[in-house]
Amino acid sequence: MRIGSSIALIAIGAILAFAVADVVDFVDLTLIGWILMGVGALGLIISIVMAIPRNDHRVTETRQVQDPNTGETIRRDETRGSL
């Protein structure tokens, strides 16, 4: 659920809860309106939380190898990010 559909659910729920005065058998339109507003609010919160940028997780790997010809130690550092 995206931000737009969450706002649409909140708007439709508010219309059903506050503006519709019709009576339908076996259906409480006010309760359905409150449920739609709750689901829309929850979806809006989740959408906003998911849209927040996360920290860039980096992995650093270090390798050390000794050159057999010269005896010199070679060190290689490699860093990878999540992007």
Side-chain angles (χ1 to χ4, degrees):
M1 183 179 305
R2 301 285 179 143
I3 294 175
S5 58
S6 299
I7 292 174
L9 280 178
I10 293 171
I12 293 169
I15 290 170
L16 285 176
F18 303 123
V20 175
D22 291 340
V23 176
V24 179
D25 292 337
F26 303 107
V27 176
D28 186 5
L29 293 178
T30 305
L31 180 62
I32 291 175
W34 281 105
I35 291 171
L36 287 176
M37 284 192 295
V39 169
L42 183 64
L44 183 63
I45 291 169
I46 291 172
S47 297
I48 291 172
V49 167
M50 296 297 286
I52 295 173
R54 293 172 187 84
N55 291 336
D56 188 18
H57 299 294
R58 295 187 182 269
V59 176
T60 302
E61 185 176 318
T62 303
R63 295 181 183 178
Q64 288 185 335
V65 179
Q66 189 169 9
D67 188 358
N69 296 330
T70 61
E72 181 181 354
T73 302
I74 301 170
R75 179 178 173 166
R76 179 178 179 192
D77 294 325
E78 184 178 325
T79 302
R80 294 183 305 263
S82 61
L83 298 175

